[in-house]
Amino acid sequence: MTNPLLKINDLKTYFHTYNGIVKAVDGVTFELGKGQTLGIVGESGCGKSVTSRSILRLIESPGKIESGSIHYKDSNLLTLSESEMNSIRGKEISLIFQDPLTSLNPVMKVGDQISEAIGLHFDMSKQETQEKAKKMLDLVGIPSSEERYYDYPFTFSGGMRQRLVIASALSCDPSILIADEPTTNLDVTTQAQILDLLSDLKSRLGMSIILITHNLGVVAWLCEYVAVMYAGRIVEYGPVKEIFKNPQHPYTSALMECLITSDTSSQVDSIPGMIPDLINPPSGCRFHPRCNHAFDRCLSDDPRLFTYDKKRDYACWLKE
């Protein structure tokens, strides 16, 4: 990719626990172009959310970013001071957390929360921040923004609270929006509304999006590129259409087979086995204990990402 907006190379984020070192993110590499939407997909516990938090250096003890680089524009975010990172968080790169209730202060009016985020990054008067906050409420489809500015989070439905979180995340006009499972705990209709909203805002604002999800259907709907993660690593990466049409890694193929079809009477497949222990991962390919195609080399040698057809990368000895 020529001049990517965000470039992550060999990122490693480990958690130092009493039981051992959990290699939650173990050598992740990918790029994000301007105006692109990248989906990061995989089972729970594969390292998706840790990757997103690592980008903004929001890893708390006992976690630690061990090595690698995160280049945003002309800066390596891992070398910046904390004050320099604070000028990027929320303004240049913004994050939507999984649960809107944990992102909103229950005893603070929603408009004041958005105004406060704006005031942290822009030299505006109180009236100016309030006016921009109300415009953000309008932008994400909150009706009667003039009145609802003064309401508290508990007076909004789950879908409306998610819109409030999105309004806050976009209030400082970020170049990159990281959405970590933005439709968790929402009903199907509301999920569709939130995804439509993100797609519309991306087109209107020209921002890039990293979408963290376990749902391949959501990736197919919203994303141009996808990174498939397994046990702390990316096992396949490339254009959504190419990967959905012809997946190269057995894990990607297995995820595709788990997609629910329109025939609700059909049995939904599942991937046998469990995600490996990230303190003591299997030797060789980490997916080999669950893979029907594993052979001797898979048990001993650790595959790295190969380039396939100049369109995408995958980590599998079968395709060497």
Side-chain angles (χ1 to χ4, degrees):
M1 187 183 297
T2 304
N3 299 322
L5 182 61
L6 181 72
K7 184 175 182 180
I8 296 177
N9 185 57
D10 201 25
L11 177 66
K12 296 182 179 181
T13 301
Y14 297 167
F15 288 82
H16 298 258
T17 71
Y18 290 111
N19 294 323
I21 299 175
V22 179
K23 298 180 179 180
V25 175
D26 196 19
V28 163
T29 297
F30 65 83
E31 297 178 350
L32 178 70
K34 185 176 180 180
Q36 287 183 347
T37 300
L38 168 70
I40 302 180
V41 66
E43 295 168 284
S44 297
C46 71
K48 306 186 300 296
S49 293
V50 176
T51 298
S52 68
R53 289 174 174 267
S54 296
I55 293 172
L56 287 171
R57 284 172 42 185
L58 294 175
I59 303 298
E60 298 180 351
S61 181
K64 180 183 178 184
I65 300 175
E66 301 286 340
S67 62
S69 61
I70 304 173
H71 281 94
Y72 169 68
K73 295 183 177 179
D74 297 324
S75 301
N76 181 359
L77 301 185
L78 298 186
T79 65
L80 300 183
S81 66
E82 188 61 24
S83 61
E84 289 172 324
M85 275 304 302
N86 283 334
S87 68
I88 289 176
R89 295 187 189 110
K91 185 176 187 295
E92 299 284 340
I93 306 174
S94 197
L95 174 62
I96 299 174
F97 293 99
Q98 290 186 24
D99 185 358
L101 276 179
T102 62
S103 304
L104 297 168
N105 187 332
V107 297
M108 188 176 182
K109 296 172 184 177
V110 296
D112 290 340
Q113 296 185 53
I114 299 173
S115 296
E116 184 179 63
I118 297 169
L120 287 174
H121 295 288
F122 295 100
D123 185 16
M124 291 183 175
S125 67
K126 182 177 180 180
Q127 182 178 355
E128 288 173 328
T129 60
Q130 288 180 346
E131 288 302 315
K132 183 166 186 180
K134 291 173 183 177
K135 288 180 180 179
M136 295 308 303
L137 293 176
D138 289 331
L139 181 67
V140 299
I142 301 292
S144 306
S145 61
E146 287 284 343
E147 293 78 23
R148 302 235 66 182
Y149 178 99
Y150 301 99
D151 289 339
Y152 291 92
F154 73 88
T155 66
F156 292 81
S157 67
M160 286 294 110
R161 283 195 292 264
Q162 191 62 283
R163 289 173 184 264
L164 291 172
V165 172
I166 294 172
S168 181
L170 297 181
S171 62
C172 296
D173 308 315
S175 298
I176 299 174
L177 176 67
I178 303 174
D180 189 355
E181 298 280 10
T183 58
T184 298
N185 299 324
L186 300 178
D187 62 75
V188 175
T189 301
T190 307
Q191 287 182 26
Q193 292 172 351
I194 295 299
L195 292 173
D196 279 339
L197 173 63
L198 289 175
S199 179
D200 178 59
L201 291 174
K202 176 202 167 186
S203 299
R204 292 167 63 180
L205 303 178
M207 63 183 175
S208 302
I209 296 177
I210 297 176
L211 177 67
I212 310 295
T213 182
H214 63 275
N215 190 329
L216 278 173
V218 170
V219 170
W221 187 353
L222 198 62
C223 304
E224 292 96 27
Y225 283 81
V226 59
V228 181
M229 283 195 72
Y230 183 77
R233 293 179 176 173
I234 290 177
V235 296
E236 189 161 3
Y237 169 77
V240 167
K241 290 182 179 179
E242 295 293 332
I243 289 179
F244 274 57
K245 180 180 178 181
N246 186 21
Q248 291 298 301
H249 196 281
Y251 179 62
T252 308
S253 298
L255 286 178
M256 295 289 291
E257 292 170 1
C258 294
L259 283 174
I260 300 176
T261 66
S262 58
D263 179 8
T264 56
S265 64
S266 62
Q267 183 175 351
V268 180
D269 292 330
S270 61
I271 304 173
M274 301 289 290
I275 293 177
D277 179 5
L278 295 183
I279 294 177
N280 296 299
S283 60
C285 174
R286 295 185 176 183
F287 186 60
H288 86 254
R290 306 173 71 186
C291 182
N292 294 328
H293 306 285
F295 61 102
D296 290 345
R297 189 175 188 184
C298 303
L299 279 63
S300 58
D301 295 346
D302 186 7
R304 290 298 180 177
L305 287 173
F306 301 100
T307 298
Y308 173 78
D309 233 7
K310 297 183 180 180
K311 293 181 179 179
R312 53 204 154 119
D313 302 325
Y314 59 87
C316 180
W317 293 122
L318 287 170
K319 307 295 181 180
E320 185 185 15

